[in-house]
Amino acid sequence: MRYHIWTEGCQMNEADSDKLAAGLANLGWEPALKADEADLAVVNTCVIRQKAEDRAVGYMTRLRLLKERKSGMQVAVMGCMVGPRTDELRERFPFVDVWARPQSFEVILRHILPGDNLGGEFWPDVFPEPKGPTAFVPVVHGCNKFCTYCIVPYRRGRERSRSIEEIVREAASLAGRGVKELTLLGQTVEAYGKDLPEIPGGTRKPDLADLFETLSPVEGLERIRFLTSYPRDMTDRIIQSVAREPRVCEHFNIPVQSGDDEVLAKMRRGYTVEEYLDCVSRIRRRVPAVSLSTDVIVGFCEETEAQFLNTLRLLEDLRFDKVHVAAYSPRPGTIAWRHMEDTMPQEEKMRRLHAVEEQQERIAREINGALLGTVQEVLVEGEKDGPDGRTVFTGRNRGNKLVHFTSQSPVTIGDMVLVRVERATAWSLQGMPAGTPVLA
Ligand code: SAM
Ligand code: SF4
């Protein structure tokens, strides 16, 4: 029997798809390259913005047509499109055989293998098959924050941390199969441990810093990353641990969302601009080589031009290495959707979005330009033929920047290579292994 999984959305969704694939593989199922070769087609959906939802619905429509031609094929839909009530979805998409909320893998497996024991004992030790030298490991599921624009807490539920023991077993299993870099995932990853019991004999609960310390000695593991940071949960203990643990990469993705206090309050982010600035300066003070990225939403309910300019100014002042910018997309069921007006025309949202992109392109070009001549540690993740017929290798430096390089000596995916930067754009660095003679 063969399965095909189509995934939309964030790294958490990718990790969920990999876990479902591992569960299916444990039961003897094989992957199919295309849905039309599969007995089970799974759609792992994202509804963070309308565009992502539209893509999932478009793909589901293609599966409906395929199912009409291919009798016996089962269609499962999982991920954030699936809330606690599925009646409306069942009515709208009657060809879907099974609906599963995020991480409810067993609902899908029970549907295809009724009667099997796939509960409690089965899932914790189903570890995904690595696809290369890097892997995502969810450490805390769900979110308790309820930012007014965001659908995530309604679909992924409250924060639930995995035990340190289970995460270490997964990390060791991945490292044993060639994974060198782990990215620990949580919607707000610093929430890790808040719902766990206290450390035996201690007076506090485990946190992300404990996780860094416990994972660092895992044999074969060379890098640890973490995503996504939440300013209010960022403790000095966590920052110090990033500074101290050599395997933990000095990169934080710490969304600000807006540079204006009134907008932040309307978003219910739980911090002011001043508190956010304090968080960034605590990080920069203790981790001087840090690279920082952030997320921003433009055009949130009645955002004025002056409020938008405050965001632009904050981004100019803080000079992030990367900014993920999105136009506000009202999500049915959220607080903003119920109580606030989405008044801004789409063209104005896009004008603001492009203004952020343009400003950030300049800043990133300047930041990356300052790295010319430096040597960067690169974990090689891929290779392809370059325009001149030479192989171009691609990887990321510790700060999560893309680095492309060519090499006169053999390079294998998974190698850690020191690359001297010879060119830089806003999007990537390019160079040659350090030690390669510089040609005139
Ligand atoms: N938990 C993280 C945080 O605290 O910001 C982010 C996780 S969220 C799933 C990923 C990003 O999607 C957010 O940073 C936000 O910028 C964006 N996002 C969430 N809801 C959105 C909406 N309704 N419209 C536009 N962008 C949205
Ligand atoms: Fe959504 Fe806010 Fe939770 Fe991030 S912290 S997942 S933006 S509710």
Side-chain angles (χ1 to χ4, degrees):
M1 299 293 271
R2 303 214 282 165
Y3 66 91
H4 182 265
I5 306 179
W6 180 94
T7 309
E8 172 75 36
C10 63
Q11 295 91 342
M12 196 65 98
N13 259 15
E14 278 181 43
D16 288 350
S17 291
D18 290 349
K19 183 140 179 157
L20 175 65
L24 287 162
N26 276 13
L27 298 170
W29 283 57
E30 305 224 334
L33 275 181
K34 292 190 277 175
D36 53 10
E37 294 163 0
D39 303 284
L40 170 69
V42 182
V43 190
N44 193 356
T45 55
C46 170
V47 291
I48 195 85
R49 286 179 284 274
Q50 187 61 45
K51 258 196 197 152
E53 183 167 347
D54 292 346
R55 276 194 293 270
V57 170
Y59 186 73
M60 285 160 69
T61 309
R62 296 218 297 279
L63 285 185
R64 175 172 63 76
L65 300 175
L66 183 60
K67 206 178 164 190
E68 281 166 12
R69 287 191 276 118
K70 199 169 177 271
S71 67
M73 186 177 88
Q74 300 286 298
V75 174
V77 176
M78 65 186 246
C80 288
M81 182 185 271
V82 191
R85 299 192 49 195
T86 50
D87 328 357
E88 210 183 289
L89 289 169
R90 282 178 207 282
E91 229 167 80
R92 207 171 140 206
F93 306 100
F95 60 95
V96 173
D97 300 284
V98 54
W99 296 93
R101 298 194 67 184
Q103 271 128 27
S104 299
F105 311 108
E106 67 278 7
V107 177
I108 298 176
L109 297 203
R110 283 226 176 79
H111 179 81
I112 54 170
L113 289 172
D116 264 79
N117 176 22
L118 303 165
E121 304 289 292
F122 181 78
W123 285 105
D125 283 308
V126 171
F127 299 139
E129 192 55 40
K131 291 182 191 144
T134 64
F136 295 123
V137 176
V139 298
V140 48
H141 297 298
C143 179
N144 291 357
K145 305 293 189 293
F146 285 92
C147 300
T148 53
Y149 52 81
C150 185
I151 191 75
V152 168
Y154 302 89
R155 298 299 158 89
R156 289 193 168 265
R158 298 302 92 80
E159 286 160 3
R160 299 168 318 278
S161 305
R162 296 172 68 193
S163 72
I164 291 197
E165 296 74 30
E166 189 184 306
I167 296 166
V168 170
R169 280 206 303 280
E170 178 159 347
S173 152
L174 289 165
R177 288 176 291 161
V179 168
K180 303 258 175 79
E181 176 185 300
L182 290 186
T183 302
L184 310 181
L185 296 180
Q187 299 296 341
T188 59
V189 72
E190 290 80 14
Y192 179 77
K194 288 184 178 190
D195 57 323
L196 290 177
E198 281 184 358
I199 295 170
T203 50
R204 60 172 183 85
K205 289 167 182 275
D207 67 1
L208 193 61
D210 292 307
L211 207 45
F212 291 156
E213 274 154 41
T214 320
L215 288 174
S216 282
V218 169
E219 207 179 315
L221 217 54
E222 297 190 26
R223 284 178 173 181
I224 300 170
R225 299 188 186 280
F226 53 102
L227 270 180
T228 302
S229 291
Y230 186 72
R232 223 177 52 194
D233 288 348
M234 184 63 71
T235 62
D236 287 344
R237 230 183 90 76
I238 294 174
I239 300 173
Q240 268 153 3
S241 177
V242 175
R244 193 177 49 237
E245 292 294 333
R247 295 223 155 93
V248 179
C249 290
E250 41 285 335
H251 171 71
F252 292 71
N253 177 203
I254 182 155
V256 65
Q257 307 299 4
S258 168
D260 182 89
D261 281 340
E262 274 177 42
V263 178
L264 286 174
K266 271 172 92 169
M267 288 176 163
R268 235 172 73 176
R269 285 291 290 177
Y271 52 82
T272 60
V273 170
E274 203 183 321
E275 285 162 340
Y276 183 86
L277 293 177
D278 173 66
C279 180
V280 168
S281 72
R282 282 191 291 130
I283 294 172
R284 284 189 162 152
R285 210 167 39 242
R286 293 203 175 85
V287 194
V290 73
S291 91
L292 291 179
S293 57
T294 198
D295 296 7
V296 163
I297 297 178
V298 293
F300 183 62
C301 305
E302 298 175 284
E303 178 191 62
T304 63
E305 179 67 10
Q307 290 170 332
F308 168 65
L309 290 176
N310 284 340
T311 299
L312 263 190
R313 193 169 320 114
L314 178 112
L315 298 177
E316 179 76 55
D317 291 349
L318 287 182
R319 293 175 67 79
F320 290 97
D321 291 82
K322 192 164 188 181
V323 174
H324 310 272
V325 54
Y328 172 56
S329 170
R331 303 287 63 215
T334 57
I335 301 166
W337 183 82
R338 280 181 275 139
H339 301 295
M340 298 176 204
E341 294 281 320
D342 172 38
T343 45
M344 191 174 295
Q346 190 61 16
E347 307 82 71
E348 178 56 18
K349 286 183 186 170
M350 295 319 286
R351 185 192 68 78
R352 294 182 184 190
L353 184 138
H354 291 139
V356 171
E357 283 178 341
E358 261 170 47
Q359 173 175 290
Q360 182 55 30
E361 185 178 338
R362 171 180 53 75
I363 293 171
R365 204 181 321 112
E366 288 165 6
I367 293 176
N368 291 349
L371 295 175
L372 286 173
T374 62
V375 172
Q376 302 289 319
E377 177 202 282
V378 178
L379 174 61
V380 183
E381 292 176 41
E383 58 178 32
K384 64 175 188 218
D385 292 337
D388 57 1
R390 283 193 300 172
T391 306
V392 177
F393 299 96
T394 297
R396 285 182 186 269
N397 73 353
R398 290 179 62 89
N400 209 33
K401 288 182 196 287
L402 258 184
V403 183
H404 306 292
F405 68 97
T406 52
S407 173
Q408 288 159 5
S409 27
V411 172
T412 310
I413 290 176
D415 283 354
M416 201 66 91
V417 179
L418 292 176
V419 175
R420 192 181 47 244
V421 180
E422 293 172 349
R423 280 178 304 282
T425 67
W427 325 115
S428 69
L429 308 172
Q430 293 115 50
M432 298 278 279
T436 311
V438 182
L439 298 176

